[in-house]
């Protein structure tokens, strides 16, 4: 996503699993010389108070993202398919557990 | 990569303003007016620099903390300030400015940091006073910023606010402990409060009628309250804390106003404030020189780590 600046350590995005059973969530970014250092720095910067049980780091330039400008065409396929939602269907009120 | 033709700027601006209007957040890859980008960069960078420079006044007392308990607490607190600086630098970088540029801007004086950190920490009681008053002021300022319009900035503020509470409480507890000690210790606390009270109130920035950026920043949802609003909130919160502690706040005009249900208080010395901002505070040169030295002395470490990473990558390729 970002180009590397000359003379600067590459940028990493940090994802933390808050506790077992939860997804890793993006918490921020940091600079590190390599992957291992990125994990160590992520521990010191983002988990000083038991905020996580697992950390993922990934170089920011390895992430491909959709652009907000593409909002219409990219997300259009989900916008016009109301039949994908349970509320689309009328079920008689005397039918239980549905 | 763009799948749609470039929308013209007035459409983009309308979409941006509609997002602000809905109190929705602006995210890094959204279109935003150049002036908005610049204003957020300025504010977040200044905030990040303040956290980084803010390590120095208290770091000064780490080796002389009176017990292992106090030393461990102070180390953790100063480490948090570094962490806060890093969250904020990372938020600022999402706006297309590099960490290196930000560091250069700090050590060249091109960007500012909070005036409070240009005051010296002359006694150990200052560690407590900074936690209580300086971090207290920071909390007043930062809680509303959790709802600031720029997403990454707001998310950094949420993390920071969670941690500031520890900072304020450890400071207050330190002072309360000293107040239960000897007369000499109580005098130390009062003397420290006397020095920090006014500079702490200056942390909210100039009075509203002399704050040129406030109106635009509020219209954009970057700032949520005016400087004077927040200053009043700080005074109202602090007076009962000072009473409980048994210290006097050094303001002869401080009194409860029944009608406003708020405290009236005197005006900080704004000439002093401007002078400190200009670079003439007691410690401005020392703070920047120290940061510059740390940056330059660390250059070989950064280079060595880069060389090591390059070699490791070569070996595995």
């Amino acid at each position: 996503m970002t180009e590397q600046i000359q003379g600067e350590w590459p940028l990493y995005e940090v994802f933390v699993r808050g506790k077992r059973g939860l997804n890793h969530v993006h918490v921020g970014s940091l600079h590190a010389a390599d992957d291992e250092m990125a994990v160590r720095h992520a521990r010191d910067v983002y988990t000083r108070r038991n905020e996580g049980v697992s950390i993922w780091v990934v170089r920011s330039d390895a992430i491909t993202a959709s652009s907000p400008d593409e909002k219409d065409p990219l997300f259009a396929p989900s916008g016009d398919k109301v039949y994908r939602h349970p509320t689309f269907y009328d079920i008689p009120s005397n039918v239980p557990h549905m | 990569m763009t799948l749609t033709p470039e929308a013209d700027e007035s459409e983009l601006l309308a979409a941006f303003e509609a997002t602000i209007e809905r109190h929705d957040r602006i995210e890094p890859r959204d279109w935003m007016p150049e002036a908005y980008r610049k204003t957020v960069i300025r504010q977040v960078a200044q905030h990040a620099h303040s956290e980084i420079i803010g390590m120095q006044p208290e770091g000064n007392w780490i080796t002389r903390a009176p017990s292992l308990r106090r030393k461990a607490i102070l180390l953790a607190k100063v480490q948090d300030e570094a962490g806060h600086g890093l969250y904020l630098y990372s938020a600022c970088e999402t706006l297309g400015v590099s960490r290196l540029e930000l560091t250069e801007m700090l050590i060249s004086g091109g960007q500012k940091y909070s005036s409070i950190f240009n005051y010296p920490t002359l006694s150990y009681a200052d560690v407590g006073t900074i936690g209580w008053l300086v971090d207290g002021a920071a909390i007043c300022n930062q809680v509303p910023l959790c709802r600031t319009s720029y997403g990454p900035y707001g998310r950094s503020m949420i993390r920071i606010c969670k941690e500031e509470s520890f900072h304020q409480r450890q400071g207050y507890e330190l002072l309360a402990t000293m107040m239960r000690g000897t007369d000499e210790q109580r005098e130390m606390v009062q003397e420290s409060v006397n020095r920090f009270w006014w500079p702490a109130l200056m942390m909210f920035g100039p009075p509203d009628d002399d704050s040129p950026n406030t109106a635009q920043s509020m219209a954009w949802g970057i700032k949520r309250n005016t400087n004077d609003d927040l200053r009043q909130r700080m005074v109202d919160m602090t007076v009962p804390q000072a009473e409980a502690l048994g210290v006097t706040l050094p303001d002869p005009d401080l009194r409860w106003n029944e009608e406003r249900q708020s405290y009236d208080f005197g005006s900080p010395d704004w000439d002093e404030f401007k002078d400190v901002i200009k670079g003439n505070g007691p410690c401005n040169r020392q703070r920047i020189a120290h940061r510059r030295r740390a940056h330059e002395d660390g250059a070989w470490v950064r280079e060595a780590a880069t060389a090591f990473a390059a070699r490791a990558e070569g070996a595995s390729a």
Side-chain angles (χ1 to χ4, degrees), chain B residues 44-106:
Chain B
V44 179
Q46 186 169 320
H47 200 153
H49 297 328
S50 300
E51 302 283 356
I52 296 300
I53 295 292
M55 288 193 281
Q56 292 184 39
E58 290 178 284
N60 181 34
W61 284 93
I62 290 174
T63 56
R64 291 172 288 164
S67 67
L68 188 56
R69 177 177 182 272
R70 294 291 175 193
K71 186 180 288 208
I73 291 169
L74 188 50
L75 269 170
K77 197 202 166 217
V78 172
Q79 190 192 11
D80 273 354
E81 306 298 359
H84 296 178
L86 295 175
Y87 306 153
L88 288 162
Y89 279 134
S90 109
C92 203
E93 285 171 274
T94 62
L95 290 162
V97 52
S98 77
R99 179 73 59 90
L100 206 58
E101 285 174 82
L102 290 166
T103 305
E104 290 294 334
M105 288 296 268
L106 171 61

Coordinates of all heavy atoms in Angstrom, one line a residue, chain B residues 44-106:
Chain B
V44 N -1.8 15.8 14.6 CA -1.4 14.5 15.1 C 0.2 14.5 15.3 O 0.7 13.9 16.2 CB -1.8 13.4 14.1 CG1 -1.4 12.0 14.6 CG2 -3.3 13.4 14.0
A45 N 0.9 15.1 14.4 CA 2.4 15.1 14.5 C 2.7 15.9 15.8 O 3.6 15.4 16.6 CB 3.0 15.9 13.3
Q46 N 2.1 17.0 16.1 CA 2.4 17.8 17.3 C 2.1 16.9 18.5 O 2.8 16.9 19.5 CB 1.5 19.0 17.2 CG 1.8 20.0 18.3 CD 1.1 21.3 18.1 OE1 1.0 21.8 16.9 NE2 0.6 21.9 19.1
H47 N 1.0 16.2 18.4 CA 0.6 15.3 19.5 C 1.7 14.2 19.7 O 2.1 13.9 20.8 CB -0.8 14.7 19.2 CG -1.5 14.2 20.4 ND1 -2.9 14.2 20.4 CD2 -1.0 13.7 21.5 CE1 -3.2 13.6 21.6 NE2 -2.1 13.4 22.3
A48 N 2.1 13.6 18.6 CA 3.1 12.5 18.7 C 4.4 13.0 19.2 O 5.0 12.4 20.1 CB 3.3 11.9 17.3
H49 N 4.8 14.2 18.7 CA 6.1 14.8 19.2 C 6.0 15.0 20.7 O 7.0 14.9 21.5 CB 6.4 16.1 18.5 CG 6.6 16.0 17.0 ND1 7.1 14.9 16.4 CD2 6.3 16.8 16.0 CE1 7.2 15.1 15.1 NE2 6.7 16.2 14.8
S50 N 4.8 15.5 21.2 CA 4.7 15.8 22.6 C 4.9 14.5 23.5 O 5.5 14.6 24.5 CB 3.3 16.3 22.9 OG 3.0 17.5 22.2
E51 N 4.3 13.4 23.0 CA 4.5 12.1 23.7 C 6.0 11.8 23.8 O 6.5 11.3 24.8 CB 3.7 11.0 23.1 CG 2.2 11.2 22.9 CD 1.4 11.1 24.2 OE1 2.0 10.7 25.2 OE2 0.2 11.3 24.2
I52 N 6.7 11.9 22.7 CA 8.1 11.5 22.6 C 9.0 12.5 23.5 O 9.8 12.0 24.3 CB 8.6 11.5 21.1 CG1 7.8 10.4 20.3 CG2 10.1 11.3 21.0 CD1 8.0 9.0 20.8
I53 N 8.8 13.8 23.3 CA 9.5 14.7 24.1 C 9.1 14.6 25.6 O 9.9 14.7 26.5 CB 9.3 16.2 23.6 CG1 9.9 16.3 22.2 CG2 10.0 17.2 24.6 CD1 11.4 16.2 22.1
G54 N 7.8 14.2 25.8 CA 7.3 14.1 27.2 C 8.0 13.0 28.0 O 7.8 12.9 29.2
M55 N 8.8 12.1 27.3 CA 9.5 11.1 28.1 C 10.6 11.7 28.9 O 11.1 11.2 29.9 CB 10.1 10.1 27.1 CG 9.1 9.1 26.5 SD 9.9 7.7 25.7 CE 10.4 8.5 24.2
Q56 N 11.1 12.9 28.4 CA 12.4 13.4 29.0 C 12.2 14.0 30.4 O 13.0 13.6 31.3 CB 13.0 14.5 28.1 CG 13.5 13.9 26.8 CD 14.2 15.0 26.0 OE1 14.9 15.9 26.5 NE2 14.0 14.9 24.7
P57 N 11.2 14.8 30.7 CA 11.1 15.4 32.0 C 11.0 14.3 33.1 O 11.6 14.4 34.2 CB 9.8 16.3 32.0 CG 9.5 16.4 30.6 CD 10.2 15.4 29.8
E58 N 10.2 13.3 32.9 CA 10.1 12.3 33.9 C 11.2 11.2 33.9 O 11.6 10.7 34.9 CB 8.7 11.6 33.7 CG 7.6 12.5 34.1 CD 6.3 11.8 33.9 OE1 5.8 11.7 32.7 OE2 5.7 11.3 34.9
G59 N 11.7 11.0 32.6 CA 12.8 10.1 32.5 C 14.0 10.5 33.4 O 14.8 9.7 33.9
N60 N 14.1 11.8 33.5 CA 15.1 12.5 34.4 C 15.2 11.9 35.8 O 16.2 11.9 36.4 CB 14.7 14.0 34.4 CG 15.7 14.8 35.3 OD1 16.9 14.5 35.3 ND2 15.2 15.8 36.0
W61 N 14.0 11.3 36.3 CA 14.0 10.8 37.7 C 14.0 9.3 37.8 O 14.0 8.8 38.9 CB 12.7 11.4 38.4 CG 12.9 12.8 38.7 CD1 12.6 13.9 38.0 CD2 13.6 13.3 39.9 NE1 13.0 15.1 38.6 CE2 13.7 14.7 39.7 CE3 14.3 12.7 41.0 CZ2 14.3 15.6 40.7 CZ3 14.9 13.5 41.9 CH2 14.9 14.9 41.8
I62 N 14.2 8.6 36.7 CA 14.1 7.1 36.8 C 15.2 6.6 37.7 O 15.0 5.8 38.5 CB 14.2 6.5 35.4 CG1 12.9 6.7 34.6 CG2 14.4 5.0 35.5 CD1 12.9 6.3 33.2
T63 N 16.4 7.1 37.5 CA 17.6 6.5 38.2 C 17.5 7.0 39.7 O 18.2 6.4 40.5 CB 18.9 7.0 37.6 OG1 18.9 8.5 37.6 CG2 19.1 6.5 36.2
R64 N 16.7 8.0 40.0 CA 16.7 8.5 41.4 C 15.3 8.3 42.1 O 15.1 8.8 43.1 CB 17.0 10.0 41.4 CG 18.5 10.2 41.0 CD 18.7 11.7 40.8 NE 18.1 12.2 39.6 CZ 17.9 13.5 39.3 NH1 18.3 14.4 40.1 NH2 17.4 13.9 38.1
A65 N 14.5 7.4 41.5 CA 13.2 7.1 42.1 C 13.5 6.5 43.5 O 14.5 5.7 43.6 CB 12.4 6.2 41.2
P66 N 12.8 6.8 44.5 CA 13.2 6.4 45.9 C 13.0 5.0 46.2 O 13.4 4.5 47.3 CB 12.3 7.3 46.8 CG 11.1 7.6 45.9 CD 11.6 7.6 44.5
S67 N 12.3 4.2 45.4 CA 12.1 2.8 45.8 C 12.0 2.0 44.5 O 11.7 2.5 43.4 CB 10.9 2.5 46.6 OG 9.7 2.8 45.8
L68 N 12.2 0.7 44.6 CA 12.0 -0.2 43.4 C 10.6 -0.1 42.8 O 10.4 0.0 41.6 CB 12.4 -1.6 43.8 CG 12.5 -2.6 42.6 CD1 13.5 -2.2 41.6 CD2 12.8 -4.0 43.1
R69 N 9.6 0.0 43.7 CA 8.2 0.1 43.3 C 8.0 1.4 42.4 O 7.5 1.3 41.4 CB 7.3 0.2 44.5 CG 5.8 0.4 44.2 CD 5.0 0.3 45.5 NE 3.6 0.4 45.3 CZ 2.9 1.6 45.2 NH1 3.6 2.7 45.3 NH2 1.6 1.6 45.0
R70 N 8.5 2.5 43.0 CA 8.4 3.8 42.2 C 9.2 3.7 40.9 O 8.8 4.3 39.9 CB 8.9 4.9 43.1 CG 8.0 5.2 44.3 CD 6.6 5.7 44.0 NE 5.8 5.8 45.2 CZ 4.5 6.0 45.1 NH1 3.8 6.1 44.0 NH2 3.8 6.1 46.3
K71 N 10.3 3.1 40.9 CA 11.1 3.0 39.7 C 10.4 2.2 38.6 O 10.4 2.6 37.5 CB 12.5 2.4 40.0 CG 13.4 2.5 38.8 CD 14.8 1.9 39.1 CE 15.6 2.8 40.0 NZ 17.1 2.7 39.8
A72 N 9.8 1.1 39.1 CA 9.1 0.2 38.1 C 8.0 1.0 37.5 O 7.7 0.9 36.3 CB 8.7 -1.1 38.8
I73 N 7.2 1.7 38.3 CA 6.1 2.4 37.9 C 6.5 3.5 36.9 O 5.9 3.7 35.8 CB 5.3 3.1 39.1 CG1 4.7 2.0 40.0 CG2 4.3 4.1 38.6 CD1 4.1 2.6 41.3
L74 N 7.6 4.2 37.2 CA 8.0 5.3 36.4 C 8.5 4.8 35.0 O 8.2 5.4 34.0 CB 9.1 6.1 37.1 CG 9.5 7.4 36.5 CD1 8.4 8.3 36.1 CD2 10.5 8.2 37.4
L75 N 9.2 3.7 35.1 CA 9.7 3.1 33.8 C 8.5 2.7 32.9 O 8.5 3.0 31.7 CB 10.5 1.8 34.1 CG 12.0 1.9 34.3 CD1 12.6 0.6 34.8 CD2 12.7 2.3 33.0
A76 N 7.5 2.1 33.6 CA 6.3 1.7 32.8 C 5.6 2.9 32.2 O 5.2 2.9 31.1 CB 5.4 0.9 33.7
K77 N 5.6 4.0 32.9 CA 4.9 5.2 32.5 C 5.7 5.8 31.3 O 5.1 6.2 30.3 CB 4.8 6.2 33.6 CG 3.8 7.2 33.3 CD 3.9 8.5 34.0 CE 3.0 9.5 33.3 NZ 3.5 10.8 33.2
V78 N 7.0 5.9 31.5 CA 7.8 6.5 30.4 C 7.7 5.6 29.1 O 7.6 6.1 28.0 CB 9.2 6.8 30.8 CG1 10.1 7.2 29.7 CG2 9.2 7.8 31.9
Q79 N 7.7 4.3 29.3 CA 7.5 3.4 28.2 C 6.2 3.6 27.5 O 6.1 3.6 26.3 CB 7.7 1.9 28.6 CG 7.8 1.0 27.4 CD 7.6 -0.5 27.8 OE1 7.2 -0.8 28.9 NE2 7.9 -1.3 26.9
D80 N 5.1 3.9 28.3 CA 3.8 4.2 27.7 C 3.9 5.4 26.8 O 3.3 5.5 25.8 CB 2.8 4.4 28.8 CG 2.1 3.1 29.3 OD1 2.4 2.1 28.7 OD2 1.3 3.2 30.2
E81 N 4.6 6.4 27.3 CA 4.7 7.7 26.5 C 5.3 7.4 25.2 O 4.8 7.9 24.1 CB 5.5 8.8 27.2 CG 5.1 9.1 28.7 CD 3.7 9.7 28.8 OE1 3.0 9.8 27.8 OE2 3.2 9.9 29.9
A82 N 6.3 6.5 25.2 CA 6.9 6.1 23.9 C 5.9 5.4 23.0 O 5.8 5.7 21.8 CB 8.1 5.2 24.1
G83 N 5.1 4.5 23.6 CA 4.1 3.8 22.9 C 3.1 4.7 22.3 O 2.7 4.6 21.2
H84 N 2.7 5.7 23.1 CA 1.7 6.7 22.6 C 2.2 7.5 21.4 O 1.5 7.7 20.4 CB 1.3 7.7 23.7 CG 0.6 7.0 24.9 ND1 0.2 7.7 26.0 CD2 0.3 5.7 25.1 CE1 -0.3 6.9 26.9 NE2 -0.3 5.7 26.4
G85 N 3.5 7.8 21.5 CA 4.1 8.5 20.4 C 4.1 7.6 19.1 O 3.8 8.1 18.0
L86 N 4.3 6.3 19.3 CA 4.4 5.4 18.2 C 3.0 5.2 17.6 O 2.8 5.2 16.4 CB 5.0 4.1 18.6 CG 6.5 4.2 19.0 CD1 7.0 2.9 19.4 CD2 7.3 4.7 17.8
Y87 N 1.9 5.1 18.4 CA 0.6 5.0 17.9 C 0.3 6.2 17.0 O -0.3 6.0 15.9 CB -0.5 5.0 18.9 CG -0.5 4.0 20.1 CD1 -1.1 4.3 21.3 CD2 0.2 2.8 20.0 CE1 -1.0 3.4 22.4 CE2 0.2 1.9 21.0 CZ -0.4 2.2 22.2 OH -0.4 1.4 23.3
L88 N 0.6 7.3 17.5 CA 0.3 8.6 16.8 C 1.1 8.8 15.6 O 0.6 9.2 14.5 CB 0.4 9.8 17.8 CG -0.7 9.8 18.9 CD1 -0.3 10.7 20.0 CD2 -2.0 10.3 18.3
Y89 N 2.4 8.4 15.6 CA 3.2 8.5 14.4 C 2.6 7.6 13.3 O 2.5 7.9 12.2 CB 4.7 8.1 14.6 CG 5.5 9.2 15.2 CD1 6.4 9.0 16.3 CD2 5.5 10.5 14.7 CE1 7.1 10.0 16.8 CE2 6.2 11.6 15.3 CZ 7.1 11.3 16.3 OH 7.8 12.3 16.8
S90 N 2.2 6.4 13.8 CA 1.6 5.5 12.8 C 0.3 6.0 12.2 O 0.0 5.9 11.0 CB 1.5 4.0 13.3 OG 0.2 3.6 13.6
A91 N -0.5 6.7 13.0 CA -1.7 7.3 12.5 C -1.4 8.4 11.5 O -2.0 8.6 10.5 CB -2.6 7.9 13.7
C92 N -0.4 9.2 11.9 CA 0.0 10.3 11.0 C 0.6 9.8 9.7 O 0.3 10.4 8.6 CB 1.1 11.1 11.7 SG 1.2 12.8 11.2
E93 N 1.3 8.7 9.7 CA 1.8 8.2 8.4 C 0.8 7.7 7.5 O 1.0 7.7 6.3 CB 2.8 7.0 8.8 CG 4.1 7.5 9.3 CD 5.0 6.3 9.8 OE1 4.8 5.9 11.0 OE2 5.8 5.8 9.1
T94 N -0.4 7.4 8.0 CA -1.5 7.0 7.0 C -1.9 8.2 6.1 O -2.6 8.0 5.2 CB -2.8 6.5 7.8 OG1 -3.3 7.6 8.6 CG2 -2.4 5.3 8.7
L95 N -1.5 9.4 6.5 CA -1.8 10.6 5.6 C -0.7 10.9 4.6 O -0.7 11.9 4.0 CB -2.1 11.8 6.5 CG -3.4 11.7 7.4 CD1 -3.3 12.6 8.5 CD2 -4.6 11.9 6.5
G96 N 0.2 9.9 4.5 CA 1.2 10.1 3.4 C 2.5 10.9 3.8 O 3.2 11.3 3.0
V97 N 2.7 11.0 5.1 CA 4.0 11.6 5.6 C 4.8 10.5 6.2 O 4.3 9.6 6.8 CB 3.7 12.8 6.5 CG1 2.8 12.3 7.7 CG2 4.9 13.4 7.1
S98 N 6.1 10.5 6.0 CA 7.0 9.4 6.5 C 7.5 9.7 7.9 O 7.5 10.8 8.3 CB 8.2 9.2 5.5 OG 9.1 10.2 5.8
R99 N 7.8 8.6 8.6 CA 8.3 8.7 9.9 C 9.6 9.6 10.0 O 9.8 10.4 10.9 CB 8.6 7.3 10.5 CG 9.2 7.3 11.9 CD 8.1 7.6 12.9 NE 7.1 6.7 12.8 CZ 7.0 5.5 13.5 NH1 7.9 5.2 14.4 NH2 6.0 4.7 13.4
L100 N 10.4 9.3 8.9 CA 11.7 10.1 8.9 C 11.4 11.6 8.7 O 12.1 12.4 9.4 CB 12.5 9.6 7.6 CG 14.0 9.7 7.7 CD1 14.6 9.0 8.9 CD2 14.6 9.2 6.4
E101 N 10.5 11.9 7.9 CA 10.1 13.4 7.7 C 9.6 13.9 9.1 O 10.0 15.0 9.4 CB 9.0 13.5 6.7 CG 9.3 13.4 5.3 CD 8.1 13.4 4.4 OE1 7.6 14.5 4.1 OE2 7.6 12.3 4.1
L102 N 8.8 13.1 9.8 CA 8.3 13.6 11.0 C 9.4 13.8 12.1 O 9.4 14.9 12.7 CB 7.2 12.6 11.6 CG 5.9 12.5 10.8 CD1 5.1 11.3 11.2 CD2 5.1 13.8 11.0
T103 N 10.3 12.9 12.1 CA 11.4 13.0 13.1 C 12.2 14.3 12.7 O 12.6 15.0 13.6 CB 12.3 11.8 13.0 OG1 11.5 10.6 13.3 CG2 13.4 11.8 14.0
E104 N 12.5 14.4 11.4 CA 13.3 15.6 10.9 C 12.5 16.9 11.3 O 13.2 17.9 11.8 CB 13.4 15.6 9.4 CG 14.4 14.5 8.9 CD 15.8 14.7 9.4 OE1 16.2 15.9 9.6 OE2 16.6 13.7 9.5
M105 N 11.2 16.9 11.2 CA 10.4 18.1 11.5 C 10.5 18.4 13.0 O 10.6 19.6 13.4 CB 9.0 17.9 11.1 CG 8.7 17.9 9.6 SD 9.1 19.5 8.9 CE 7.5 20.3 9.0
L106 N 10.6 17.4 13.8 CA 10.7 17.6 15.2 C 12.1 18.2 15.6 O 12.2 19.2 16.2 CB 10.5 16.3 16.0 CG 10.7 16.4 17.5 CD1 9.9 17.4 18.2 CD2 10.6 15.0 18.2

